Amino acid sequence: MNTTIEALLNSQIKYEAQASLQYLAMASWADAKGYNGVSDFFYSQSDEERVHMSKLIKFVNERGGNVIIPALDKPKDTYEGLNELFEKFLESEMFVTEQINHVIFECLQQKDYNVHNFMQWYVTEQLEEEAMARTLLDKLNIIGADKSGHYLFDRDINTIAANHTNE
Ligand code: FEO
């Protein structure tokens, strides 16, 4: 396996693992605050990121590359409220998108069309996740500091997310 691409895929393994851990911390924060819907949402996002990570691990191993299981940073686990929580969620997804675009760019530079093809799944996935994070943050910005709005957001978030994925 091309060593530049191998290093980039290992970095990507770390970013997906870090996102999974971050969303777990977000789920736990929401759980403790009584936002059960938001908590379920982030538990499930955390699981999805773990799948993104393991898919990469399996791919690198299948291609005969050397996988490095990374050490992770402690995730942020306190938030001022739902608005900050979802701002951080969007930030995290935008960061991952940027990194995936970087991998894709290098695949073309290195003429590694096999990895380029594999990474297309991530491109599609990121488009969906980033759009969903934006939709949820837009809704929270409309709600502002209204407590009953937050109650309804928490009640409806998983329906909003499911409809978004099915669009
Ligand atoms: Fe797998 Fe949403 O980054």
Side-chain angles (χ1 to χ4, degrees):
M1 186 173 221
N2 176 301
T3 51
T4 309
I5 299 296
E6 182 185 82
L8 283 173
L9 293 181
N10 271 309
S11 297
Q12 198 60 41
I13 287 169
K14 176 166 183 179
Y15 301 139
E16 303 291 348
Q18 191 68 50
S20 177
L21 197 69
Q22 183 57 63
Y23 299 161
L24 193 61
M26 288 170 157
S28 173
W29 176 87
D31 213 351
K33 295 283 175 198
Y35 293 120
N36 297 337
V38 172
S39 171
D40 285 350
F41 172 80
F42 278 111
Y43 278 127
S44 131
Q45 289 300 309
S46 174
D47 289 346
E48 277 191 30
E49 298 303 348
R50 193 176 187 286
V51 171
H52 298 176
M53 174 197 69
S54 36
K55 211 173 151 77
L56 276 160
I57 293 172
K58 286 174 188 165
F59 178 76
V60 174
N61 276 323
E62 269 165 20
R63 294 274 317 267
N66 182 33
V67 169
I68 299 160
I69 301 296
L72 300 177
D73 305 325
K74 185 186 181 305
K76 176 176 165 61
D77 56 5
T78 51
Y79 299 90
E80 283 164 24
L82 290 181
N83 289 62
E84 192 195 6
L85 188 73
F86 281 87
E87 274 161 21
K88 295 293 173 200
F89 176 45
L90 178 58
E91 251 174 46
S92 162
E93 288 302 324
M94 285 170 68
F95 173 77
V96 173
T97 302
E98 222 178 281
Q99 301 314 312
I100 285 171
N101 289 342
H102 183 52
V103 177
I104 301 273
F105 174 80
E106 275 303 323
C107 283
L108 292 175
Q109 298 295 107
Q110 307 282 333
K111 298 189 168 49
D112 193 334
Y113 301 116
N114 194 331
V115 177
H116 182 270
N117 186 44
F118 169 77
M119 290 305 292
Q120 295 310 308
W121 182 85
Y122 286 84
V123 172
T124 312
E125 193 71 10
Q126 273 318 112
L127 261 176
E128 278 174 18
E129 292 194 340
E130 215 184 293
M132 183 167 63
R134 253 178 240 287
T135 301
L136 293 170
L137 187 58
D138 284 349
K139 291 204 185 300
L140 280 169
N141 285 334
I142 294 168
I143 293 165
D146 177 43
K147 278 199 163 53
S148 54
H150 284 170
Y151 173 83
L152 294 175
F153 178 86
D154 182 59
R155 192 194 62 182
D156 295 342
I157 179 172
N158 291 299
T159 315
I160 300 168
N163 289 341
H164 209 279
T165 313
N166 295 333
E167 266 168 17

